C-alpha cells in the first residue's frame, strides 16, 4: 500500500479515536452531545480531518473501498462550506453508525 494512503488511513483512525475519547467523560447520548458546544465543534473538526483524508485517498487510489467514502467527503464539505447548515442529527448518526464501521474497515486495511 502506498505510504501516503497509509498515513491518511492512520489520520482517519486517530480522528475516530479522538471522537470516541470525547465520550469517556460524558454519556454517549444525543442530547448531551447536542448541549455541549465544545464537543460538537471538536467532533466537527475531526469529521473535517476524516473527510479530507478520505478525499485524498479517493483521489490517489479509487480502488480502495471504504463504506460511504463519498458521503464522508460530502459531509466534510458541508461542515466547511455550509457551517450554518450542519445538522446535529446527521453528525450524531455518523458517530453512532458510520464511525465504528469505518474504524473496523481501516483497521483491517492496516492489519491492526
Amino acid at each position: 500500500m502506498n505510504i501516503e494512503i497509509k498515513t491518511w488511513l492512520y489520520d482517519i483512525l486517530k480522528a475516530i479515536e479522538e471522537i470516541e475519547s470525547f465520550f469517556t467523560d460524558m454519556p454517549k447520548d444525543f442530547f448531551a452531545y447536542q448541549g455541549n458546544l465544545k464537543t460538537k465543534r471538536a467532533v466537527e473538526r475531526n469529521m473535517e480531518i476524516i473527510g479530507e483524508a478520505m478525499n485524498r485517498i479517493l483521489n490517489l487510489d479509487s480502488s480502495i473501498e471504504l463504506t460511504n467514502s463519498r458521503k464522508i467527503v460530502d459531509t466534510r464539505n458541508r461542515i466547511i462550506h455550509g457551517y450554518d447548515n450542519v445538522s446535529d442529527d446527521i453528525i450524531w448518526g455518523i458517530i453512532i453508525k458510520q464511525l465504528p464501521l469505518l474504524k473496523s474497515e481501516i483497521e483491517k486495511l492496516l492489519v491492526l
Side-chain angles (χ1 to χ4, degrees):
M1 178 182 301
N2 178 304
I3 189 69
E4 288 177 312
I5 290 175
K6 202 175 243 191
T7 299
W8 296 324
L9 288 171
Y10 275 111
D11 289 344
I12 294 170
L13 187 60
K14 182 179 172 189
I16 291 170
E17 290 171 347
E18 191 168 307
I19 290 170
E20 291 172 341
S21 78
F22 300 149
F23 298 99
T24 57
D25 295 334
M26 68 181 275
K28 201 167 193 178
D29 172 79
F30 174 71
F31 296 107
Y33 165 76
Q34 192 175 38
N36 189 318
L37 183 60
K38 288 181 186 179
T39 300
K40 284 175 35 175
R41 295 298 182 254
V43 166
E44 289 168 7
R45 174 64 181 139
N46 278 288
M47 293 297 297
E48 291 171 3
I49 291 168
I50 292 167
E52 180 61 24
M54 185 72 71
N55 191 45
R56 291 177 183 189
I57 290 167
L58 293 174
N59 286 336
L60 193 60
D61 185 352
S62 60
S63 71
I64 293 182
E65 292 188 31
L66 293 165
T67 303
N68 292 320
S69 56
R70 190 69 239 163
K71 288 182 180 179
I72 292 168
V73 173
D74 292 344
T75 299
R76 173 247 182 227
N77 292 338
R78 172 163 287 188
I79 291 169
I80 290 175
H81 301 293
Y83 67 90
D84 57 340
N85 230 0
V86 175
S87 165
D88 292 341
D89 295 332
I90 290 173
I91 300 295
W92 185 252
I94 292 168
I95 292 169
I96 298 301
K97 297 175 187 168
Q98 302 304 318
L99 292 186
L101 175 61
L102 181 59
K103 182 179 181 182
S104 174
E105 290 176 343
I106 289 175
E107 287 173 340
K108 287 176 186 168
L109 285 172
L110 294 172
V111 191
L112 295 176

